[in-house]
Amino acid sequence: MARERQLSRRSLLGGAAAGAVGLTTATAGPAAAATPAAATASRTVDVAIVGGGLAGLTAARDLVAGGRTVAVLEARNRVGGRVVNLKLANGGVTEGGGEFIGPTQDRIKALADSLGVATFTTYNTGDNLLYKDGKRTPYDTSGLLGSVPPVDAAGLANAAIVQSELDSMAATVPVDAPWTAAKAAEWDKQTFESWLNANAVIPSAKFLLDLACTSIFSAQPRELSLLYVLYYIAAAGNESTPGTLERLTDTANGAQESRFVGGSQQVPIKLAATLGDRVVLGAPVRSVARSGGSYVVTADGVTVTATRVIVAVPPPLAARITFDPLLPAARDQLTQRMPLGSIGKAIAVYDTPFWRADGLNGQAVSDSGVVRSTFDNSPPDASYGALMGFIEADEMRAYDAAGEAEIKAAVLADYVNYFGDKAKSPTSFVLQRWDNEGFSRGGPVAYAPPGVLTAYGAALRKPVDGVHWAGTETSTFWTGYMDGAVRSGERVAKEVLAALG
């Protein structure tokens, strides 16, 4: 097989793309310095920021550094958005949303470093597991195929060709304007599913690519534009390093390489603390209205008058805010067409990470069950064990109306299949259901179905008079990830500072 068509040693499902900014049963408390909405009825500032996630908080930091006054209005009683720590019964924490970072995710790493939030390497010692057709197969990731699940040779060869072709196509997509790619119209009129059906012709190869898709987007291939998938691959890098599918799916040297000590929400919590009472919690924004040369931003319990407004929430949630005057049709049509993926995270806690003694690293992929991919979410000192499983796309939707007990039983049944009877009886269990979380309604990212990017993509970041857009969906690199959120905050702050003069 030609070198460019060889399946990379670390590609196709080294893990799920869980650094995505992600998801309700337990959450960490808000930053102590933030102000409840009831404590402040009105404010006048230079810039009102809608959303206290990484994007909004980063923008606020940079605007304050630029000498501007800001107010950050966060709907929840905590900061972080799709990044949240879950409290465990044993006193520990685990991540309910975005948690991983990896190579080329430079901006989230720099932010964490500046706040004194350290990272540690995701546990990746021992065998991965493939559970397919009811058969459990451990496999060594240090061999020729790396973390690629050991399906049949024909499937591996076909998957290698498909991966190489996707990377080659993605390399032609401009990350700042994917709708201008030479073949944008052709790629945007078809689903990723239709392209896979024509190219991943071996069933086991289709299994690998389908699982990669749901792991990255928490959406099925039938829901995604091919152009959007190619853009997402292209964005999995930085200004000097092209994006690849391998980087999206890998653990070692990929997007799942590291975690944050104390949980990923430590980053927004500490960032919010530097902003103090500029951050207002429990203040969902209901309307943004222009009044002369200013904007009046009305939230529950607080009204902010500002010269500029930054909206740093996912496009479909931004669409629930009333704007006066009305937003341009292109912007509104865009937000109507970008749904969030369907995702939950289930974490079972044990006295010890027992799978390690069995020579396993806690990473499993499966063709069945409610959980199709897992990680070892234990703390760096291994003082207890934690197995985290993703519930995604059709599997999450199938359980949206289910109670927690039903979901727990289904999840533990999967964990027993993957890791044996010791997984049957955790000491505690936590569940984060982003689809049912009121100020997210899904995750990890709002994606584009066919026809959206070419028709409306230009409206994604384009300011509307004094209203500017941020959020991980607007980033040109690491869209859908914590790094993309930080990058978007930095970009929009520069944009607003320039506009204010």
Side-chain angles (χ1 to χ4, degrees), residues 86-100:
L86 305 181
K87 295 180 180 178
L88 300 176
N90 63 9
V93 297
T94 193
E95 299 92 343
E99 69 175 276
F100 299 111

Side-chain angles (χ1 to χ4, degrees), residues 351-416:
D351 288 333
T352 64
F354 61 84
W355 50 93
R356 297 183 184 182
D358 296 333
L360 302 174
N361 61 19
Q363 296 173 43
V365 294
S366 174
D367 66 348
S368 61
V370 62
V371 168
R372 304 292 176 94
S373 62
T374 68
F375 277 90
D376 182 330
N377 256 39
S378 308
D381 63 2
S383 55
Y384 59 87
L387 280 175
M388 182 272 287
F390 287 102
I391 310 173
E392 301 185 280
D394 281 351
E395 283 66 51
M396 187 69 259
R397 289 187 279 263
Y399 280 85
D400 272 345
E404 183 171 331
E406 182 181 351
I407 296 176
K408 177 181 178 181
V411 168
L412 293 182
D414 289 339
Y415 289 179
V416 169

Side-chain angles (χ1 to χ4, degrees), residues 63-89:
L63 288 166
V64 170
R68 294 298 178 173
T69 57
V70 304
V72 180
L73 302 175
E74 169 54 48
R76 302 170 178 86
N77 67 352
R78 62 167 181 85
V79 295
R82 286 166 277 178
V83 177
V84 62
N85 286 350
L86 305 181
K87 295 180 180 178
L88 300 176

Side-chain angles (χ1 to χ4, degrees), residues 298-324:
T298 303
D300 290 1
V302 59
T303 299
V304 176
T305 301
T307 305
R308 295 272 162 166
V309 178
I310 293 172
V311 179
V313 298
L317 297 186
R320 299 178 186 184
I321 299 170
T322 299
F323 289 88
D324 182 16

